[in-house]
Amino acid sequence: MRFAGSHVLSVGQFERGDVEAVFAVADRMEPYANRHRITRVLEGAILGSMFFEPSTRTRVSFGSAFNLLGGEVRETTGIENSAIAKGESLYDTARVLSGYSDVVAMRHPSEGSVAEFAAASRVPVINGGDGSNEHPTQALLDLYTIRSELSSQQRGIDGLRIALVGDLRFGRTVHSLCKLLCLFERVSITLVSPAELRMPEPIVEALRESGHEVLESDAMEEGIAHVDIVYSTRLQEERFASPKEAALYRGRFRLNQQVYTRHCDPNTVIMHPLPRDSREPARELDDDLNDNPNLAIFRQTDNGVLVRMALFAMILDVADQVDEHSRDVRWYTGGRSR
Ligand code: CP
């Protein structure tokens, strides 16, 4: 695809070469994300950050990524703080906000809403999550992390063995990740969930049509054995009809150090898109894993900045000019090791 001027709405728009191109640019962003160098390549540009649903890392890392490229961020958070609460349409909102920005990053609770916004926008729009549909930049950063974690074992994404655990019905990050994995070869995927929270059938079919081996199970201990990656997910309570219904599944799958030691291979990498639910009834990824060197969750969040910087640089067509507009930083940058 041609990135310059394009929306990023779904991972379905990518070919394998596009994903590899994003990763190659993301690799080059490391000195800037690590504060070894500063670039002003997007000086004067404005990111419109429109998050109509709660977010910590996606919203802040989009903003940080844009700032690290030298641009400014204007944001609105929560439907209640925008004129949408007064009945303004997404069309009008998009026409207005795209007049104030060079690119927009948006999250919204309704599936398809970001695409609807993009259709009316005068500038490129990046989907930061639309309901339970997709979260394409999370999938890119997840796959970038998988690539990075496996590279230390001289392995690539082809031939990956991965277990996805938890709420696979409503979890948009796993939907997007599975679609992205369809671009790769010989992937073995174990989908661990309660029967009622299975991965949507069209996504399972797409994985199988790509030649991947897919196993569906409700037994976590068996599912996480002999895989390269265990990708745990939070119960998406906000998508359930009632808290009572969500409570039926809370705490069903809990990965902690004891379970890991007993069932996982010693170098199995642990991932989670975050937030993890650390409250006692849930704890799908226990805090007692925090000192496990294979816990990659904070390397994932760091990688989110690299991948989002790459996307901004490519969409605004400055990827080749980033270094040209750079210099060393002047402030203390110790203590930021990744
Ligand atoms: N992974 C993710 O989307 O996190 P936030 O909801 O904090 O943005």
Side-chain angles (χ1 to χ4, degrees):
M1 69 175 269
R2 180 178 154 74
F3 279 89
S6 291
H7 302 304
V8 173
L9 301 175
S10 162
V11 292
Q13 70 193 82
F14 298 130
E15 302 286 347
R16 178 172 175 153
D18 301 322
V19 174
E20 288 168 348
V22 172
F23 291 175
V25 177
D27 287 342
R28 286 171 34 216
M29 297 300 120
E30 203 150 347
Y32 304 103
N34 288 343
R35 317 296 200 275
H36 296 146
R37 290 190 66 74
I38 181 172
T39 178
R40 302 279 88 195
V41 70
L42 287 185
E43 191 165 28
I46 294 177
L47 165 67
S49 173
M50 312 295 156
F51 275 70
F52 299 119
E53 198 183 44
S55 170
T56 295
R57 72 227 80 235
T58 310
R59 179 173 63 83
V60 178
S61 68
F62 266 124
S64 295
F66 209 74
N67 287 152
L68 286 165
L69 290 166
E72 307 268 347
V73 183
R74 293 286 172 273
E75 64 181 6
T76 185
T77 54
I79 285 176
E80 69 280 11
N81 297 319
S82 84
I84 293 177
K86 301 184 217 171
E88 186 164 53
S89 66
L90 275 181
Y91 177 90
D92 286 0
T93 308
R95 297 300 293 175
V96 172
L97 294 178
S98 58
Y100 302 157
S101 318
D102 296 279
V103 58
V104 170
M106 179 178 172
R107 172 174 289 186
H108 193 284
S110 304
E111 297 178 22
S113 53
V114 181
E116 184 185 338
F117 182 97
S121 172
R122 292 176 272 170
V123 299
V125 176
I126 306 179
N127 184 357
D130 61 324
S132 58
N133 183 34
E134 276 224 37
H135 196 342
T137 63
Q138 178 74 42
L140 285 169
L141 78 87
D142 287 341
L143 200 62
Y144 184 82
T145 303
I146 291 170
R147 167 188 176 260
S148 159
E149 297 290 323
L150 294 189
S151 71
S152 58
Q153 303 169 30
Q154 286 73 51
R155 303 262 316 280
I157 299 168
D158 293 323
L160 170 72
R161 299 167 303 164
I162 184 168
L164 306 178
V165 182
D167 177 359
L168 307 184
R169 177 181 173 194
F170 294 119
R172 58 192 170 201
T173 71
V174 286
H175 298 169
S176 290
L177 181 57
C178 283
K179 291 179 194 175
L180 212 48
L181 285 172
C182 290
L183 300 175
F184 292 80
E185 292 175 14
R186 294 174 283 102
V187 177
S188 167
I189 305 181
T190 306
L191 302 170
V192 180
S193 71
E196 300 82 358
L197 302 182
R198 287 182 57 224
M199 180 68 72
E201 192 55 35
I203 299 177
V204 177
E205 275 172 27
L207 287 165
R208 291 205 167 110
E209 279 167 16
S210 303
H212 297 337
E213 186 179 69
V214 183
L215 177 72
E216 293 188 90
S217 167
D218 61 1
M220 183 180 79
E221 287 78 5
E222 290 162 26
I224 62 177
H226 311 304
V227 295
D228 304 305
I229 309 279
V230 175
Y231 188 107
S232 167
T233 63
R234 179 181 65 88
L235 187 69
Q236 306 286 298
E237 289 189 39
E238 61 276 29
R239 314 270 179 236
F240 282 79
S242 70
K244 203 170 155 192
E245 192 192 344
L248 296 173
Y249 306 103
R250 191 175 299 114
R252 180 76 67 90
F253 303 116
R254 293 172 182 239
L255 182 60
N256 58 31
Q257 187 58 53
Q258 191 185 36
V259 172
Y260 180 88
T261 305
R262 190 174 299 164
H263 298 285
C264 291
D265 290 347
N267 56 0
T268 297
V269 174
I270 307 161
M271 294 176 60
H272 190 300
L274 301 183
R276 56 178 158 170
D277 189 341
S278 294
R279 293 170 289 190
E280 180 47 40
R283 286 190 175 270
E284 72 273 5
L285 194 60
D286 203 287
D287 292 349
D288 74 358
L289 288 159
N290 286 357
D291 293 329
N292 185 322
N294 293 315
L295 185 75
I297 56 176
F298 301 117
R299 295 192 284 276
Q300 275 174 274
T301 53
D302 282 355
N303 288 337
V305 174
L306 300 177
V307 166
R308 292 178 175 122
M309 287 179 79
L311 286 172
F312 286 134
M314 295 167 84
I315 289 168
L316 296 177
D317 207 13
V318 294
D320 292 335
Q321 299 168 49
V322 172
D323 297 336
E324 216 177 286
H325 295 267
S326 71
R327 60 171 168 78
D328 288 338
V329 299
R330 299 193 183 106
W331 62 87
Y332 172 73
T333 58
R336 285 192 46 82
S337 61
R338 286 159 63 81

